[in-house]
Amino acid sequence: MKKHLLFLGPPGAGKGTQAALLSETTSYLHLSTGELLRKEIDLATDLGKQVKDIMNKGELVSDQLVLEIVKKNLKRDNKGWILDGYPRNLSQVKSLNDVLANLNEPLEIVFYLDVPDEVLIKRLLLRGRTDDNEETIKTRLKIYKETTEPLIEYYKKLSLLRYIDANGDLKTISDDIKQKMA
Ligand code: B4P
């Protein structure tokens, strides 16, 4: 079974949800940059104070800050890892490639979770996190299309991409993911 995985997709596609489910059954490290950043905000650390307004506007925090978080966490001893929400642009892809080359742990699969925009918007408004309002969701979707979507083509060319129809019930989606991991 593959051990080094990445979840890619628009905001609200269920990357965090599916990565958490998979982490429970595999015991792989679930590394969500969004979750780690939100923790920093809750603890009111210096880093949290720096990123709070940026995240509440739906913008991306700086590549350098996110890279530090990823490096620190990937070094932890783990059976495998699931990257959720990182990388989000081509510069983060390059940094990740360097980190993984140093660890000698190449990426094995990229799951692309596809969900139509109107479903994403409904899900996020229902979730109601501080960054889940109409204005912010619009910004996040725009940034996703401009900066994150090109990663789909990048990983497709490397034959790492696996398509997941993520507009369905949780179990059907997680079964599909597990089947494509084998
Ligand atoms: P993230 O924390 O990554 O969150 P997300 O993209 O909004 O959501 P995700 O796709 O994980 O959806 P989820 O499972 O929660 O990003 C938040 C912010 O952090 C970014 O805007 C940015 O500011 C910052 N950030 C993070 N990483 C960064 C990086 N690398 N660089 C720069 N900035 C970064 O699901 C959404 C909702 O749908 C939930 O309520 C869930 O219950 C529901 N749901 C999930 N699957 C469903 C299904 N199958 N059916 C119905 N509902 C479902």
Side-chain angles (χ1 to χ4, degrees):
M1 196 161 67
K2 305 283 194 289
K3 293 193 296 189
H4 301 134
L5 321 169
L6 191 161
F7 280 72
L8 187 65
K15 304 180 293 289
T17 305
Q18 291 298 332
L21 286 173
L22 189 60
S23 164
E24 267 173 38
T25 53
T26 55
S27 303
Y28 294 172
L29 170 76
H30 173 195
L31 203 170
S32 159
T33 42
E35 204 53 55
L36 290 166
L37 290 166
R38 279 188 290 278
K39 220 179 263 169
E40 299 282 341
I41 294 176
D42 289 347
L43 295 171
T45 62
D46 285 344
L47 174 61
K49 285 177 197 154
Q50 279 184 65
V51 301
K52 188 173 178 182
D53 289 344
I54 302 171
M55 285 180 71
N56 282 338
K57 278 193 277 180
E59 292 168 6
L60 295 185
V61 312
S62 90
D63 293 343
Q64 194 52 39
L65 284 181
V66 187
L67 177 61
E68 291 310 317
I69 290 183
V70 170
K71 271 201 221 158
K72 196 162 87 188
N73 282 278
L74 272 186
K75 269 192 216 142
R76 280 162 36 191
D77 201 23
N78 60 67
K79 286 186 167 183
W81 41 255
I82 307 165
L83 291 177
D84 157 18
Y86 183 89
R88 260 173 153 96
N89 59 35
L90 285 165
S91 150
Q92 294 184 5
V93 167
K94 278 196 193 137
S95 306
L96 176 65
N97 288 345
D98 292 342
V99 173
L100 298 184
N102 277 329
L103 291 172
N104 201 16
E105 292 180 357
L107 190 56
E108 292 169 294
I109 294 190
V110 176
F111 289 111
Y112 163 45
L113 274 58
D114 187 26
V115 177
D117 282 6
E118 60 275 19
V119 179
L120 297 173
I121 295 166
K122 268 194 211 145
R123 280 187 191 176
L124 293 174
L125 287 175
L126 209 67
R127 179 173 66 182
R129 219 166 55 193
T130 37
D131 58 342
D132 289 337
N133 57 69
E134 265 180 69
E135 198 55 39
T136 309
I137 293 169
K138 236 191 268 167
T139 307
R140 286 156 68 195
L141 278 173
K142 184 170 182 285
I143 294 177
Y144 169 77
K145 286 183 199 300
E146 287 169 1
T147 73
T148 311
E149 216 168 47
L151 274 51
I152 296 171
E153 205 47 45
Y154 173 87
Y155 287 119
K156 202 189 231 171
K157 282 194 183 136
L158 295 174
S159 305
L160 291 174
L161 202 80
R162 303 286 182 280
Y163 178 86
I164 304 291
D165 177 358
N167 183 21
D169 65 277
L170 292 186
K171 177 145 182 1
T172 309
I173 300 165
S174 66
D175 285 349
D176 191 23
I177 290 171
K178 272 183 219 140
Q179 198 214 328
K180 288 178 175 153
M181 255 175 82

